[in-house]
Amino acid sequence: MSADARRPLIAGNWKMHKTIAETRALLRELRAYPLPAGIDVVVAPPFTALVAASEELHGTAIGLGAQTMHEGEHGAYTGEISPLMLHEIGVRWVILGHSERRATCNESDAGVNRKVRSALAHGLTPIVAVGESEGEHRRGETHAIVVAQTRAAFANIEPDEVARCVVAYEPIWAIGTGLIDDPANANAVIAEIRASVAGLERARILYGGSMKGDNAAALMAQSDIDGGLIGGASLKAESFLAVIEAAAPRAGAT
Ligand code: 13P
C-alpha cells in the first residue's frame, strides 16, 4: 500500500443545515485557515447551497461533496439529482447510504450498490455509510450487519474501483447523541469492514458518530481509522477545524 492510499480524510456532512448565505459565511471562514498538510478535507452542504459552495471553494484544497444522488443521468424522477448535475458544478464526492436515508427514504442495500457504481462511473468518489442500530448493537449483531451492508454496497465492483471508494462506519446509536463508540471497538469493527471486500485494504475507512475535537485524536490514533464523517461539529468553523487539527498527527503516518 502506498503511503498516500489511506491519507486521512475529514468530511463534514451538513445534513439539512445552512442556507446559501450561511454556507458562504462558513466556507469563507474555513478557507481562510491554513489546513494541515497531508489531510483531505471535504464538505457536503445541502443541494441548494452546492453551487455557491463550489464558487467559494474554487482554487482551495477543500473538496465538495453531495449528501446523496440518484443513480440515473436524467429521467422522470421528480425531486432527484443526478451525478451529471453534481459533477457539472464541481462536486467530486457523494455520501451514499447514510443511515438517515436508509431509515427515512427506504434506501436499500441494492440501491446503494447501484448508486456506488454510478458515482464511480461519473467521476465521483462515494463515501458509503454503514452502521448498526442500537438494538443490533445490544444483541451483538454489529459485525454481521456492517459486513453485510459493506458487501452489498460493493457487490460486483472490481477491487481497484473499490479501493477508490471511502466507507464511513457510523454506529446509528452514536449519531447526534454525544456518545462515541469506544475507539478500540470502532477500530475492530472497521478492521472487519476492511477485510470484508477485496480492495478495501487500500481504501479509506472513516468513523462517524459524535466525533468532535475532544475525542477525534483518540479515534484517529487507531490503526484502521483513516478519518471522520462529521455531522454536528462540521457546522461551525471552530469545531470542524478542531477535528481537522486532531487528525493532523496521522498525516504521513500510514
Ligand atoms: P454527528 O457527528 O452529529 O453525530 O453526525 C454523524 C453523522 O451522521 C455524519 O454523517
Side-chain angles (χ1 to χ4, degrees):
M1 181 178 73
S2 85
D4 218 32
R6 285 175 46 197
R7 189 178 152 92
L9 168 63
I10 302 295
N13 174 10
W14 292 7
K15 308 192 180 182
M16 197 171 73
H17 293 284
K18 305 233 178 258
T19 62
I20 292 172
E22 290 165 346
T23 296
R24 287 192 188 276
L26 175 53
L27 294 180
R28 282 173 193 175
E29 276 190 82
L30 286 179
R31 75 180 189 202
Y33 188 86
L35 296 176
I39 294 185
D40 286 335
V41 175
V42 169
V43 293
F47 283 137
T48 49
L50 284 173
V51 172
S54 184
E55 289 168 7
E56 296 296 337
L57 295 178
H58 186 75
T60 75
I62 301 173
L64 184 59
Q67 299 175 18
T68 184
M69 63 171 220
H70 190 277
E71 69 266 27
E73 292 189 343
H74 41 71
Y77 301 105
T78 302
E80 295 288 348
I81 300 287
S82 91
L84 286 182
M85 298 166 184
L86 295 174
H87 196 277
E88 181 191 30
I89 59 168
V91 170
R92 295 293 180 269
W93 305 76
V94 60
I95 300 167
L96 297 174
H98 193 283
S99 58
E100 288 152 13
R101 295 197 60 84
R102 291 181 192 256
T104 62
C105 304
N106 289 325
E107 290 213 354
S108 65
D109 282 338
V112 173
N113 178 246
R114 286 194 296 274
K115 292 183 183 203
V116 171
R117 292 147 166 278
S118 173
L120 286 167
H122 290 90
L124 302 175
T125 299
I127 301 175
V128 179
V130 301
E132 82 287 4
S133 69
E134 202 202 338
E136 290 160 347
H137 180 71
R138 254 189 291 108
R139 293 194 294 275
E141 295 167 5
T142 298
H143 289 212
I145 295 285
V146 300
V147 165
Q149 287 177 338
T150 307
R151 288 197 175 132
F154 296 109
N156 300 314
I157 301 177
E158 291 298 316
D160 281 350
E161 294 282 283
V162 172
R164 290 173 42 210
C165 298
V166 176
V167 177
Y169 168 53
E170 299 203 310
I172 296 169
W173 49 270
I175 295 176
T177 58
L179 299 170
I180 62 159
D181 197 0
D182 172 66
N185 187 54
N187 194 54
V189 177
I190 287 175
E192 294 269 334
I193 292 170
R194 199 180 285 295
S196 68
V197 174
L200 286 184
E201 69 283 355
R202 287 174 278 154
R204 288 179 284 192
I205 308 190
L206 317 180
Y207 169 82
S210 298
M211 190 163 166
K212 304 199 176 350
D214 59 3
N215 57 35
L219 288 158
M220 293 297 300
Q222 300 293 322
S223 58
D224 274 288
I225 301 180
D226 301 318
L229 184 56
I230 317 301
S234 72
L235 297 175
K236 289 206 170 99
E238 191 184 353
S239 49
F240 192 47
L241 291 168
V243 177
I244 292 167
E245 285 299 339
R250 192 179 169 93
T254 48

